[in-house]
Every structure is written in C-alpha cells, then in structure tokens.
Amino acid sequence: AVVSTQSTGNLRWQAHMYVPPVVVLQEVFLILLCTKVDKSKDWNWFLLFIPIWVTNVILLLPSFFETSRAIRAPQEGEMEPKSARFIVLYYLFILCKIAAEILICIKYQYSMESLRYYYVFLPLVLIFLGLFVSTVVVTHDSVKKSPAAVR
C-alpha cells in the first residue's frame, strides 16, 4: 500500500490501498451467495449482503473525508466546478448502488411479487445512464480542448 504525504505531513490515503480488502469482501459475498443459491444454507438476504455493504463503507468514507477536507481547505487549491460535479455524481452512484442492493434484499427476502424487477434495477439503470452521460461530457470537453479540434 502506497501512502503519499502532503506538505503538512498528514497521510493521504490512495484508492489502491482499498483493493485487497474489497476483493476479499467480494469473494466472501460470492461464496455466501453460492451457498444461498445452492440452498445449502437458509440465510437472510440482508445478512448475505453485509460484505457488500462493508465494501460500500470502505469506498465511501475515505472519499467523504477527502471531499470534506478539500472543501474546508480551499487555500491548497480551489475545487473546480467540474471536479465538484464528479464528486456529487460519485456519491449519487454509490447511493443508487446501495438502493439497488436494498431493493434486491427486499425482493428476495420477503418474496414480494408486487415489487417488479424494473423497480429493483432502476437505480442500476440510473448509474449506467449517469456513466454514459459523464463519459460523453468528458469526451466532448477533451475533444473541444484538443489542439487538433481548433483547425
């Protein structure tokens, strides 16, 4: 794990530090899911998703603290409106992912026939649409700024 230091000497966590625990938690989730689908264990769906929710916390909390630090300390460099937009999109993506996970748990734990699959997976569709739009915006901005586009 690589940690870079700022000029003040504080530790600044890098995203790749979280890869090993996230991978292990996802593997644990897949093992639990296989035992649930295989019907060898009759676990609650909400308990089954605990490794995924721990992964969400691992990914969300450090970025939250980094964002709050960047907002509180603007003297080190002002946040561009574009980066602030992507931070908001990141949090919205994580919240949509958590909403989809909760809806999946509700759908399968309580065998809710009235909860249609398109409602369950609507948050994931919103994530994919948001990723598509953000990719188009970034591509458009980079093409617009490139010297070849000026000719």
Side-chain angles (χ1 to χ4, degrees):
V2 176
V3 177
S4 66
T5 57
Q6 297 174 347
S7 59
T8 60
N10 295 332
L11 294 178
R12 183 175 171 197
W13 300 100
Q14 300 295 324
H16 60 275
M17 292 180 63
Y18 301 107
V19 171
V22 166
V23 169
V24 168
L25 285 168
Q26 288 176 350
E27 289 175 1
V28 168
F29 169 72
L30 290 174
I31 291 168
L32 293 174
L33 183 65
C34 289
T35 58
K36 175 74 173 176
V37 172
D38 193 29
K39 297 185 180 175
S40 60
K41 299 285 184 190
D42 189 28
W43 286 323
N44 187 325
W45 281 95
F46 290 96
L47 293 176
L48 186 87
F49 271 79
I50 286 177
I52 297 296
W53 291 328
V54 171
T55 301
N56 291 339
V57 170
I58 289 173
L59 296 176
L60 194 59
L61 280 181
S63 62
F64 175 75
F65 291 128
E66 187 68 25
T67 303
S68 64
R69 185 196 59 79
I71 290 171
R72 281 185 291 191
Q75 69 272 10
E76 294 176 13
E78 294 289 328
M79 278 182 69
E80 296 179 25
K82 194 180 297 183
S83 64
R85 221 177 328 165
F86 285 114
I87 290 170
V88 169
L89 277 177
Y90 175 75
Y91 291 126
L92 286 175
F93 290 163
I94 295 292
L95 290 176
C96 284
K97 179 180 175 290
I98 293 170
E101 293 164 359
I102 291 172
L103 287 171
I104 289 169
C105 288
I106 290 171
K107 171 78 174 166
Y108 289 121
Q109 183 62 38
Y110 302 115
S111 301
M112 293 186 67
E113 298 297 327
S114 61
L115 185 59
R116 304 279 181 213
Y117 282 108
Y118 51 84
Y119 292 129
V120 172
F121 293 108
L122 182 64
L124 295 179
V125 170
L126 293 175
I127 289 174
F128 292 130
L129 287 175
L131 287 173
F132 175 74
V133 168
S134 65
T135 303
V136 168
V137 168
V138 167
T139 305
H140 181 269
D141 287 348
S142 64
V143 167
K144 192 173 161 183
K145 291 180 182 178
S146 71
V150 176
R151 294 190 258 175

